[in-house]
Amino acid sequence: MALDAERAEEIFASFGPVRCKRMFGGSGVFVGDRMFALEARGVLYLKSDETTDAEFERESCEPFSYDAKGGRRVVMSYRRAPERLLEDPDEMAVWARRALAVADAARKPRRKASAEP
């Protein structure tokens, strides 16, 4: 499954408008500047953390990983979306909202510039 704007619109129809950006040899899926999903090697992954990992594990959805230089395996905080969600926009919206919440929580707080008198 290559993810383009039209396919993303179908998958996330009940979630709301998303934007796709080519990256990582695949596509990042964004709401505003927050990436909450990615497509790589024809597989859709949703942002995950310790608050949602168990749900993905119950669905046997593995994390996104890739081989870095030097043969090191890198595991990212995205997990394969359950296949059934690709044809169920309402259920995908539930999972996408959770993934967006994880992306929001993962954002590093911006440092405030110190005010000088």
Side-chain angles (χ1 to χ4, degrees):
M1 167 200 75
L3 191 65
D4 58 16
E6 184 177 321
R7 181 68 175 132
E9 186 176 305
E10 290 172 12
I11 292 170
F12 296 105
S14 296
F15 173 67
V18 297
R19 174 177 59 87
C20 293
K21 179 179 176 184
R22 299 286 304 155
M23 55 188 352
F24 310 124
S27 297
V29 183
F30 293 79
V31 169
D33 65 347
R34 297 161 298 170
M35 187 169 121
F36 72 96
L38 69 89
E39 176 270 325
R41 300 182 297 266
V43 177
L44 182 65
Y45 297 87
L46 298 170
K47 185 82 170 153
S48 183
D49 67 7
E50 66 279 351
T51 66
T52 59
D53 283 344
E55 293 173 79
F56 286 97
E57 288 169 7
R58 278 192 290 279
E59 300 267 354
S60 300
C61 296
E62 70 280 351
F64 173 70
S65 64
Y66 64 93
D67 293 323
K69 290 183 180 179
R72 184 174 58 97
R73 189 82 174 156
V74 177
V75 178
M76 295 183 64
S77 60
Y78 289 84
R79 288 192 173 249
R80 184 177 54 81
E83 287 291 319
R84 64 186 171 74
L85 301 182
L86 300 177
E87 303 302 325
D88 186 346
D90 291 336
E91 185 67 13
M92 176 59 86
V94 172
W95 286 68
R97 283 187 205 100
R98 289 182 199 138
L100 185 58
V102 169
D104 284 342
R107 291 179 81 146
K108 294 182 172 78
R110 296 177 191 246
R111 294 189 336 181
K112 293 182 181 179
S114 60
E116 294 187 28

